[in-house]
C-alpha cells in the first residue's frame, strides 16, 4: 500500500467518527427535550448530560420510573368508573315489589310485579307453587291466577359479577261460596213449550224440583236432609241437626226432590266455603176456619185462619204471622173466597154475614105494633144474631137480664138490646099492658 492509499484510509475513518459523534449528539438533545416537557419549567434546572457509564442506569431509565404517563392516568379513571358501576345497588330495582300479596281466585286484574332493568342486566324469574292443603313448594313453568294455593316468585337480578335475589309470596284465595240452583219445570200444552222457573231458597212449592250446583272453582261435597219436627211447649220445632238423617249427594247424578217435606241442602267447595239452600215441597191444601166479629149494626169483621202461612189476597189484610187474613163486610153478604198457602195449594171458604134482626111476635105472628096487650095472645121476641152476641131486656128501667125466649106477661115499658163485647149492636122498645079489651 503506498502513501496515498494510507492517507485516504485515515481521512475516511476520521469522517466516520465525526458522523457517529453527530448522531449521538442529536439523540441526546431529543431525550433532553422530552424530559423537559414532562417537568415543570419553573422547577427543573438545565444541567449537562453526564457521560453514560457501563454498569449504572441511564438518565432515561430514571425518568421513566418516576413520572406516570398521561395514558396511564386516563386508564385509572376508567377503572374507577367501572368499579363504581360494578357496585351498583341492585335492590333499588325492587322498590315496587311487596313481599306478599293476597289475590282472589280468577282475578284477571291482578298482574305480577314488573321489574324494569338497565342495559347489561340479566333478570331471572322462577315460579314455585304450594297447592291448597299441601306442605311443600314445587317448581312450575308460569304463574296461573286460576289455581288455588300459594305461589313463591323468585327474582334474581345479575350485573357485572353482582347478584341480588328477592321473593314475593302470592296467596290465591277463594272466598266465594258455591251456588245452589233450584228449578221447576213448566209445560204449556197449548204451545208444547217447556220452560224452567228458578226457585229461591226458603220457598214453598207444590211441584217436583231439580237441584244443581256450580262454583267459581269446583264443588267438593254436597249433602241434604229432610227436616224432622217435634212439639216443644205446643210449638212445632225442628229437631237438632244431630238427630237428622244426613244423605250425601252424588255430584255426578241429577238430584230431583219430589216428596213433601222441608229440605236442607248444603254444598261445599275446596276452600271450605259453604252454602245452605232450603226448600219445602207441600202438596196439601190448607185447613181453614172462619171467624165473624160484629163491628156495628151494619158491618161484620171476617177472619179466615189457617194452620200454615197463607198468601196475600187483594182486598184482605194479611196478619203478621201470615196465618190469617181479615176483611170488613157489610151485613147480609154471601161470597166464596179461595185462599192459597205459600206452596200454591188452594182452599175455598164461604163467607156469609147476616143482619141483626129483632122482631116481636104475638100469637105466633110478627107485629110492628109498639103497644101490645097480653089479652091478644102470647108475646115473644124473635131475634137473628151471631152466636157471640147476647140479647137482653129491661122492664121499666130495671136491671137488664138475658132473654131466654120466654113469653112476656108483665105489663110495662120494655127495652131490648143486642150486646157484643159490651157494645150495643141494636135495640128495640115497646109497651105491654094487661087491660081487658072491650067488645
Amino acid at each position: 500500500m503506498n502513501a496515498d492509499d494510507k492517507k485516504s484510509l485515515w481521512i475516511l475513518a476520521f469522517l466516520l467518527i465525526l458522523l457517529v459523534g453527530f448522531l449521538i449528539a442529536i439523540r441526546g438533545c431529543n431525550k433532553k427535550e422530552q424530559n423537559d416537557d414532562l417537568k415543570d419549567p419553573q422547577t427543573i434546572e438545565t444541567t449537562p448530560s453526564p457521560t453514560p457509564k457501563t454498569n449504572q442506569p441511564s438518565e432515561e431509565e430514571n425518568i421513566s420510573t418516576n413520572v406516570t404517563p398521561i395514558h396511564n392516568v386516563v386508564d385509572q379513571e376508567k377503572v374507577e368508573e367501572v368499579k363504581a358501576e360494578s357496585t351498583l345497588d341492585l335492590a333499588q330495582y325492587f322498590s315496587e315489589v311487596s313481599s306478599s300479596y293476597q289475590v282472589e281466585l280468577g282475578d284477571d286484574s291482578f298482574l305480577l310485579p314488573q321489574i324494569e332493568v338497565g342495559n347489561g342486566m340479566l333478570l331471572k324469574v322462577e315460579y314455585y307453587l304450594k297447592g291448597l292443603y299441601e306442605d311443600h313448594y314445587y317448581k312450575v313453568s308460569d304463574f296461573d291466577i286460576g289455581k288455588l294455593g300459594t305461589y313463591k316468585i323468585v327474582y334474581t337480578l345479575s350485573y357485572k359479577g353482582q347478584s341480588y335475589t328477592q321473593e314475593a309470596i302470592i296467596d290465591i284465595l277463594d272466598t266465594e261460596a258455591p251456588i245452589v240452583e233450584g228449578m221447576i219445570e213448566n209445560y204449556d200444552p197449548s204451545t208444547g213449550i217447556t220452560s224452567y222457573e228458578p226457585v229461591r231458597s226458603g220457598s214453598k212449592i207444590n211441584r217436583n224440583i231439580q237441584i244443581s250446583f256450580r262454583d267459581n272453582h269446583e264443588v267438593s261435597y254436597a249433602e241434604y236432609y229432610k227436616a224432622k219436627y217435634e212439639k216443644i211447649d205446643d210449638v212445632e220445632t225442628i229437631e237438632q241437626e244431630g238427630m237428622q238423617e244426613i244423605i250425601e249427594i252424588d255430584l255426578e247424578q241429577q238430584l230431583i226432590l219430589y216428596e213433601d217435606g222441608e229440605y236442607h241442602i248444603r254444598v261445599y267447595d275446596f276452600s271450605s266455603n259453604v252454602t245452605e239452600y232450603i226448600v219445602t215441597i207441600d202438596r196439601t191444601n190448607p185447613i181453614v176456619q172462619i171467624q165473624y166479629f160484629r163491628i156495628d149494626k151494619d158491618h161484620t169483621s171476617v177472619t179466615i185462619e189457617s194452620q200454615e202461612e197463607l198468601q196475600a189476597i187483594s182486598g184482605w189484610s194479611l196478619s203478621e204471622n201470615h196465618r190469617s187474613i181479615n176483611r170488613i163486610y157489610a151485613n147480609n153478604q154471601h161470597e166464596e173466597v179461595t185462599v192459597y198457602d205459600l206452596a200454591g195449594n188452594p182452599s175455598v171458604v164461604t163467607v156469609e154475614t147476616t143482619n141483626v134482626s129483632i122482631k116481636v111476635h104475638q100469637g105466633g105472628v110478627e107485629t110492628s105494633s109498639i103497644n101490645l096487650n097480653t089479652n091478644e095472645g102470647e108475646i115473644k121476641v124473635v131475634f137473628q144474631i151471631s152466636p157471640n152476641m147476647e140479647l137482653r131486656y129491661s122492664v121499666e128501667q130495671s136491671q137488664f137480664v138475658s132473654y131466654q125466649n120466654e113469653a112476656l106477661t108483665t105489663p110495662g115499658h120494655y127495652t131490648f138490646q143486642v150486646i157484643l163485647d159490651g157494645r150495643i149492636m141494636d135495640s128495640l122498645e115497646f109497651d105491654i099492658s094487661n087491660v081487658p079489651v072491650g067488645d
Side-chain angles (χ1 to χ4, degrees):
M1 178 180 296
N2 55 28
D4 291 333
D5 292 333
K6 292 180 178 180
K7 184 178 179 179
S8 297
L9 289 172
W10 281 106
I11 292 173
L12 179 60
F14 179 75
L15 292 175
L16 288 173
I17 292 171
L18 287 178
L19 179 60
V20 172
F22 178 75
L23 292 174
I24 291 174
I26 290 175
R27 182 179 180 186
C29 290
N30 289 338
K31 288 183 178 181
K32 184 175 183 303
E33 288 175 359
Q34 181 178 358
N35 291 338
D36 290 343
D37 291 339
L38 296 174
K39 294 180 181 180
D40 188 348
Q42 297 180 356
T43 59
I44 300 177
E45 297 179 356
T46 304
T47 56
S49 299
T51 304
K53 295 183 179 180
T54 305
N55 296 324
Q56 293 182 358
S58 66
E59 182 179 355
E60 179 181 2
E61 292 172 348
N62 288 336
I63 292 174
S64 63
T65 57
N66 293 330
V67 180
T68 303
I70 293 177
H71 66 84
N72 287 342
V73 174
V74 175
D75 290 343
Q76 182 65 28
E77 292 177 353
K78 289 183 178 180
V79 169
E80 291 177 355
E81 290 178 1
V82 170
K83 184 177 181 180
E85 290 180 359
S86 65
T87 58
L88 185 64
D89 181 15
L90 300 180
Q92 64 180 314
Y93 292 92
F94 297 87
S95 60
E96 301 298 325
V97 180
S98 297
S99 60
S100 63
Y101 299 85
Q102 286 190 338
V103 188
E104 186 67 23
L105 177 72
D107 183 5
D108 294 332
S109 65
F110 175 77
L111 299 176
L112 287 177
Q114 300 297 313
I115 313 301
E116 299 293 337
V117 299
N119 293 332
M121 296 182 179
L122 176 63
L123 178 65
K124 180 181 178 182
V125 184
E126 296 174 291
Y127 306 92
Y128 299 87
L129 174 62
K130 181 172 65 175
L132 195 66
Y133 306 122
E134 293 182 354
D135 297 327
H136 304 287
Y137 287 97
Y138 59 92
K139 194 169 184 179
V140 293
S141 60
D142 205 349
F143 174 77
D144 186 354
I145 195 67
K147 287 187 177 180
L148 283 174
T150 301
Y151 276 92
K152 179 170 65 175
I153 313 298
V154 181
Y155 298 92
T156 303
L157 182 61
S158 302
Y159 179 67
K160 293 187 176 180
Q162 284 184 269
S163 180
Y164 179 83
T165 299
Q166 181 158 325
E167 295 181 356
I169 302 298
I170 303 173
D171 290 316
I172 300 182
L173 309 175
D174 177 14
T175 60
E176 184 177 332
I179 296 174
V180 182
E181 293 180 314
M183 292 283 180
I184 58 176
E185 183 179 294
N186 295 317
Y187 175 72
D188 186 351
S190 63
T191 62
I193 297 176
T194 299
S195 61
Y196 293 89
E197 178 183 346
V199 179
R200 293 182 299 175
S201 178
S203 298
K204 291 186 176 182
I205 59 174
N206 57 3
R207 309 271 298 280
N208 295 351
I209 182 170
Q210 179 178 319
I211 303 297
S212 61
F213 314 106
R214 59 186 174 92
D215 186 57
N216 63 328
H217 181 243
E218 186 177 353
V219 172
S220 61
Y221 177 78
E223 63 184 15
Y224 78 91
Y225 65 87
K226 189 162 66 171
K228 298 177 182 178
Y229 280 83
E230 59 182 342
K231 273 199 173 183
I232 300 178
D233 297 331
D234 292 330
V235 177
E236 287 287 338
T237 306
I238 190 171
E239 292 183 356
Q240 295 182 359
E241 186 169 326
M243 304 295 292
Q244 308 293 338
E245 181 184 358
I246 307 297
I247 301 174
E248 182 177 351
I249 299 173
D250 185 352
L251 298 176
E252 301 298 325
Q253 300 293 327
Q254 190 178 56
L255 176 63
I256 298 178
L257 304 175
Y258 53 88
E259 293 183 352
D260 281 17
E262 179 184 302
Y263 293 87
H264 293 244
I265 304 164
R266 280 194 295 256
V267 57
Y268 302 80
D269 64 13
F270 281 97
S271 296
S272 298
N273 299 307
V274 59
T275 297
E276 183 171 15
Y277 178 92
I278 301 174
V279 66
T280 300
I281 299 178
D282 175 16
R283 293 183 174 89
T284 305
N285 296 334
I287 300 173
V288 297
Q289 59 182 1
I290 190 167
Q291 299 287 342
Y292 296 95
F293 180 78
R294 182 77 63 169
I295 296 176
D296 54 31
K297 178 181 178 181
D298 301 314
H299 299 88
T300 298
S301 174
V302 179
T303 301
I304 300 175
E305 298 178 341
S306 171
Q307 90 287 3
E308 60 180 310
E309 295 183 1
L310 299 174
Q311 297 183 28
I313 301 178
S314 177
W316 291 73
S317 298
L318 186 63
S319 65
E320 186 175 349
N321 65 2
H322 292 192
R323 295 198 173 191
S324 66
I325 56 175
N326 176 267
R327 181 178 178 181
I328 304 300
Y329 276 85
N331 291 334
N332 200 28
Q333 298 292 314
H334 179 92
E335 182 181 16
E336 286 190 348
V337 179
T338 302
V339 297
Y340 297 88
D341 63 15
L342 297 185
N345 302 301
S347 285
V348 180
V349 182
T350 300
V351 176
E352 189 169 5
T353 61
T354 59
N355 287 322
V356 176
S357 175
I358 307 175
K359 297 178 180 180
V360 180
H361 283 216
Q362 187 165 29
V365 179
E366 180 180 349
T367 178
S368 59
S369 175
I370 60 173
N371 295 303
L372 304 175
N373 193 303
T374 57
N375 296 314
E376 295 179 354
E378 184 182 60
I379 301 173
K380 282 188 174 182
V381 173
V382 178
F383 61 94
Q384 183 182 3
I385 58 176
S386 69
N388 294 329
M389 294 183 183
E390 177 190 7
L391 182 62
R392 65 184 185 176
Y393 71 100
S394 170
V395 182
E396 296 293 342
Q397 297 183 351
S398 62
Q399 184 176 355
F400 280 92
V401 294
S402 179
Y403 180 67
Q404 301 298 330
N405 199 33
E406 67 268 23
L408 305 176
T409 59
T410 303
H413 183 76
Y414 284 77
T415 303
F416 276 78
Q417 293 179 343
V418 178
I419 302 300
L420 177 63
D421 295 332
R423 294 178 299 164
I424 300 174
M425 296 290 102
D426 201 359
S427 63
L428 176 65
E429 296 185 29
F430 54 89
D431 294 299
I432 296 178
S433 69
N434 58 3
V435 178
V437 179
D439 294 335

